[in-house]
Amino acid sequence: MSSLRPALFIDKDGTLIENVPYNVDPARLRFMPGAIDALRQIAHWDFALILVTNQSGLARGFFDRTQFAGLLRALDQALLEEAAIRLHDVQVCPHAPGSGGRPACLCRKPAPGMLVRAARTHNIDLLRSWIVGDTLDDVEAGHRCGCRAVLLNTGAQTLGWRSPLRVPHATAPDWRTLREYLEQQHAMTIASRQAG
């Protein structure tokens, strides 16, 4: 029996919380509709809940690490109070994008560095894991390390460049639909493992 566990990798801005650009004010932190209920359910499946977030505001000097850490503490406290859950980890890319918006580092999504680092730290089975995000950069980051991906279609994603790595397994208009899809996939996985 494998000691590895699956994870749900979660983008922060525009996916878990409302996208307020470069925000570090806890008073402006608002969860996306349905996110709390979905994560509460998913946490019962023994999935590690791991935040993976590009934060170029650090490199650009819009806020510092202390301010950002304060926002993360408020986020963690809100999840505990509203859903009785905690994130297993928060992976942050503090770098600015390179030319043409592509990563200039190994961690900025669509590069998979944050997911790979978390997998090594927490014994994550990437092939059984999912990433959810509101852009195709999130989808690509997941595919690059073997995860399955769901695009939360909030309207944030513009057309951009296309490739097979940027095709999600599913697209969901909201967290309720996303949760139902993942629940179905999880049940199928369990049934397949029991049958095998």
Side-chain angles (χ1 to χ4, degrees):
M1 186 77 170
S2 173
S3 62
L4 301 180
R5 70 189 298 194
L8 179 67
F9 295 102
I10 311 155
D11 173 58
K12 183 172 81 69
D13 300 303
T15 302
L16 178 59
I17 63 173
E18 293 179 2
N19 187 18
V20 179
Y22 305 113
N23 176 53
V24 289
D25 179 0
R28 302 178 71 191
L29 189 153
R30 302 282 184 276
F31 288 104
M32 293 291 283
I36 290 288
D37 289 338
L39 292 181
R40 185 186 295 117
Q41 175 73 31
I42 293 165
H44 289 300
W45 304 340
D46 195 35
F47 272 60
L49 303 177
I50 300 175
L51 202 66
V52 285
T53 179
N54 292 344
Q55 292 296 322
S56 67
L58 288 164
R60 292 173 165 142
F62 296 155
F63 50 86
D64 62 32
R65 289 181 182 273
T66 300
Q67 292 171 305
F68 187 65
L71 182 74
L72 291 179
R73 280 193 302 275
L75 176 63
D76 193 52
Q77 187 63 32
L79 284 170
L80 190 59
E81 291 175 358
E82 296 185 38
I85 59 173
R86 285 191 183 276
L87 296 171
H88 290 83
D89 195 5
V90 177
Q91 293 284 328
V92 179
C93 172
H95 307 112
S99 61
R102 297 299 287 175
C105 60
L106 297 176
C107 54
R108 182 176 175 81
K109 294 175 291 182
M114 289 187 284
L115 288 76
V116 171
R117 188 168 57 214
R120 289 178 179 154
T121 301
H122 300 286
N123 295 319
I124 299 301
D125 184 345
L126 290 169
L127 296 180
R128 291 170 51 216
S129 297
W130 291 84
I131 186 170
V132 56
D134 65 331
T135 73
L136 295 180
D137 282 355
D138 300 306
V139 171
E140 182 175 342
H143 283 320
R144 284 190 178 278
C145 61
C147 291
R148 292 166 288 176
V150 180
L151 179 69
L152 188 65
N153 191 9
T154 61
Q157 177 59 53
T158 56
L159 289 178
W161 66 93
R162 293 285 179 172
S163 81
L165 289 172
R166 295 171 72 82
V167 177
H169 287 80
T171 300
D174 51 44
W175 270 96
R176 181 188 60 78
T177 306
L178 187 151
R179 179 189 58 76
E180 290 172 354
Y181 174 77
L182 290 181
E183 191 170 24
Q184 179 187 55
Q185 295 299 308
H186 181 62
M188 290 169 58
T189 299
I190 289 176
S192 174
R193 294 179 78 181
Q194 289 174 342

